[in-house]
Amino acid sequence: MQGFTTIDFGVLVVYLAAVLFAGLAFSKKEMKGKEFFKGDGKIPWWVTSVSIFATLLSPISFLALAGNSYKGTWILWFAQLGMLIAVPITIKYFLPVYSKYDIDTAYHYLEIRYKDKGLRILGAIMFIIYQIGRMSIIMYLPSMVLADLTGISVNVLIIVMGVIAIVYSYTGGLKSVLWTDFIQGAVLIVGVIFSLFFLVSTIDGGFGSIMSSLGEGGKFLGEGDAIFNPNILQSSVFIIVVGAGLNTFSSYVSSQDIVQRFTTTTDMKQLKKMTYGNLVLSLTLATVFYLIGTGLFVFYNQNPALLQTAQQDQIFASFIAYQLPVGITGILLAAIYAAAQSTLSTGLNSVATSWTLDIQQYISKNLSDKQKTRIAQYISLGVGIVSIGVSIVLASGGITSAYEWFNGFMGLVLGVLAGIFVLGVFFKKATKQGAYAGFIVSAIIVVVLKYGGFDVTAWSYSVISISSSVIVGVIVSYLTQPSEGKTKELA
């Protein structure tokens, strides 16, 4: 029960210095224009695949997945199976479209498809607001956990995390972000797998005790966990799989931080490899996290005197700090920090890219590549500073309900946005009027369902938002369809 030692602190500092050095090393070549926003075309698919994984796995997920399994059952593990829905649909129907039109951003597709700049700007604005809120929360939450475990000031942790991400996002563009994401993702993967093996070695009965807990102990599915409920507004394994699948699908097709990875190449073979690679990584690591959570349940039942916290989302971090060997603790806490930094750096670069290419170029006409790059760097710097400031306010004020409300509300954005992407790809005669109508109606429906006092599982939001957007969009498109032959159909 040594806790966080001087050696662990040294390991954490060395790790952060190494990440900063790596980020700067990959940014030695001056990147301008499309190279800054889309890379130089020399980034391997496996680097991008790990980057997508690191982007989607925020530190909130890092801590929550093991916590869910520790405190409850494996029912939320089925959410990972939603990727078996999201990945094939994305690869078959959307990646070929994005590759064909060689889009600069996710919202560039909306302008091409609907011949409307307003939809492109609307999509970019919604994404940017969502991403700024998400980045602030992602800096705040893991820093609070690490501050409790290490004794380091939460403000210092927030500032260090933000500054390092800003430096290599500012200097090197997407290439620097992708390679540092790869390094941080690798640290996370190795660290988490080591944690599982170490945990199993400390449990009486080893891996067999964990499997016994899943089977006879009822940790896999509880008595109240329904496999299927005809009312899709209520929780069940079925709606969790479908809802989570559409959530991931929404990220893949309409969230700039993910779509930006797809813009690094127009080679469909490379795109398929990076997407399937992310599927394998995500399913494997999610399963490892859930095994760790169940292992922690068994371990602390066998050793109740060693339990340091009752909070489920801090249980894994507590085990890392108090049970792992000296030095290894520092590496694993660095992995939590890595999950936050990779998501943060990706957020900064994607916001800067979206603002510059989706919005700024319509405000300032005829920008050169050098000017676009400079604007993106300034946006990256400014957004990073704002996010650090918001995170510090959250930490110093002890606010919880405000940022949870904001994150919950903005979490609905991607499903609403995805609806107009689906409408555009699957319905050749969809019009911009249909897209606007679908967006507005679906946004109103999901906001009313979430905040109107209705008993609706959050897993159904994406199903409702996408389907309502498409249905309304098709109807309005039919009513506003121009005369035959006036428009060139895109799909």
Side-chain angles (χ1 to χ4, degrees):
M1 300 233 312
Q2 77 282 347
F4 191 74
T5 66
T6 303
I7 294 176
D8 294 315
F9 178 76
V11 170
L12 183 59
V13 170
V14 169
Y15 167 79
L16 294 176
V19 168
L20 181 58
F21 174 78
L24 292 174
F26 287 115
S27 64
K28 281 184 178 179
K29 176 185 174 183
E30 185 179 7
M31 297 285 180
K32 292 181 181 179
K34 288 202 172 185
E35 285 193 354
F36 185 87
F37 301 118
K38 300 173 69 172
D40 57 5
K42 300 177 182 178
I43 304 167
W45 67 266
W46 40 271
V47 170
T48 310
S49 185
V50 174
S51 176
I52 295 174
F53 163 76
T55 297
L56 290 174
L57 184 72
S58 72
I60 303 169
S61 301
F62 189 112
L63 298 171
L65 292 180
N68 288 338
S69 176
Y70 169 77
K71 199 71 172 180
T73 67
W74 275 47
I75 187 169
L76 294 183
W77 172 82
F78 287 93
Q80 316 309 315
L81 297 184
M83 295 192 72
L84 299 176
I85 298 173
V87 169
I89 295 175
T90 302
I91 289 176
K92 182 172 179 59
Y93 297 106
F94 287 83
L95 294 189
V97 174
Y98 294 165
S99 175
K100 176 182 177 181
Y101 293 115
D102 193 18
I103 58 173
D104 292 329
T105 70
Y107 317 109
H108 184 198
Y109 167 74
L110 297 179
E111 180 183 1
I112 294 173
R113 171 60 182 85
Y114 295 106
K115 298 185 178 68
D116 185 71
K117 295 176 182 178
L119 280 170
R120 180 175 185 175
I121 294 172
L122 174 64
I125 290 173
M126 296 298 287
F127 168 75
I128 289 169
I129 294 172
Y130 162 76
Q131 194 62 246
I132 290 175
R134 183 170 184 251
M135 286 188 293
S136 300
I137 295 165
I138 281 171
M139 279 194 285
Y140 164 68
L141 291 180
S143 294
M144 286 292 290
V145 172
L146 289 176
D148 290 340
L149 294 174
T150 64
I152 301 172
S153 167
V154 64
N155 290 346
V156 170
L157 290 169
I158 289 172
I159 292 171
V160 169
M161 180 189 300
V163 167
I164 292 176
I166 288 171
V167 168
Y168 63 76
S169 299
Y170 179 93
T171 55
L174 184 61
K175 182 177 181 180
S176 180
V177 169
L178 288 176
W179 275 103
T180 47
D181 276 2
F182 172 77
I183 294 170
Q184 309 216 68
V187 170
L188 189 154
I189 292 167
V190 173
V192 170
I193 292 175
F194 173 84
S195 294
L196 175 61
F197 280 103
F198 183 86
L199 175 60
V200 169
S201 72
T202 63
I203 293 174
D204 293 337
F207 194 71
S209 294
I210 296 177
M211 299 309 295
S212 177
S213 179
L214 286 175
E216 300 170 6
K219 289 290 287 180
F220 190 66
L221 284 176
E223 293 182 4
D225 295 334
I227 300 296
F228 177 78
N229 189 331
N231 182 357
I232 66 166
L233 301 182
Q234 300 300 312
S235 183
S236 68
V237 170
F238 172 78
I239 196 60
I240 287 174
V241 173
V242 174
L246 291 181
N247 281 340
T248 303
F249 164 75
S250 298
S251 294
Y252 278 153
V253 303
S254 65
S255 185
Q256 171 60 15
D257 52 350
I258 305 301
V259 176
Q260 190 174 14
R261 272 87 184 124
F262 298 145
T263 66
T264 58
T265 179
T266 57
D267 185 338
M268 277 303 301
K269 289 184 179 179
Q270 297 295 310
L271 289 171
K272 287 180 179 180
K273 286 179 180 180
M274 72 172 68
T275 311
Y276 279 125
N278 176 54
L279 167 65
V280 172
L281 276 176
S282 298
L283 281 177
T284 302
L285 265 292
T287 302
V288 170
F289 276 120
Y290 272 85
L291 286 171
I292 287 173
T294 304
L296 291 172
F297 173 80
V298 174
F299 175 79
Y300 285 118
N301 274 342
Q302 293 178 353
N303 306 278
L306 299 180
L307 186 62
Q308 298 292 313
T309 178
Q311 298 183 47
Q312 71 177 58
D313 287 348
Q314 293 194 21
I315 193 68
F316 186 26
S318 177
F319 177 83
I320 291 171
Y322 292 100
Q323 304 304 326
L324 290 182
V326 173
I328 302 298
T329 293
I331 294 174
L332 264 294
L333 291 180
I336 297 177
Y337 218 62
Q341 274 197 319
S342 60
T343 306
L344 176 60
S345 61
T346 294
L348 291 174
N349 187 266
S350 61
V351 166
T353 298
S354 188
W355 174 271
T356 305
L357 300 183
D358 292 321
I359 299 175
Q360 187 66 44
Q361 68 173 340
Y362 296 119
I363 298 174
S364 306
K365 303 291 185 180
N366 302 318
L367 291 171
S368 66
D369 284 347
K370 184 175 182 179
Q371 289 173 318
K372 289 179 181 178
T373 304
R374 182 59 62 190
I375 290 170
Q377 289 175 323
Y378 288 149
I379 293 295
S380 179
L381 176 62
V383 168
I385 293 172
V386 169
S387 298
I388 289 172
V390 173
S391 293
I392 291 175
V393 170
L394 290 173
S396 61
I399 300 172
T400 56
S401 59
Y403 71 79
E404 286 177 359
W405 180 91
F406 179 81
N407 196 41
F409 173 72
M410 294 313 299
L412 305 175
V413 169
L414 295 184
V416 175
L417 273 179
I420 57 178
F421 280 82
V422 172
L423 179 69
V425 168
F426 287 105
F427 298 90
K428 293 184 177 182
K429 294 186 178 181
T431 64
K432 65 180 181 181
Q433 293 88 346
Y436 278 115
F439 178 90
I440 293 169
V441 171
S442 64
I444 292 173
I445 289 174
V446 292
V447 169
V448 169
L449 286 176
K450 182 172 179 62
Y451 301 108
F454 295 94
D455 183 19
V456 178
T457 176
W459 297 107
S460 67
Y461 290 155
S462 57
V463 178
I464 295 169
S465 60
I466 293 175
S467 59
S468 61
S469 180
V470 170
I471 291 171
V472 171
V474 168
I475 293 172
V476 174
S477 293
Y478 175 78
L479 296 175
T480 59
Q481 183 67 36
S483 300
E484 189 174 349
K486 284 186 178 180
T487 59
K488 180 181 178 182
E489 294 176 355
L490 294 174

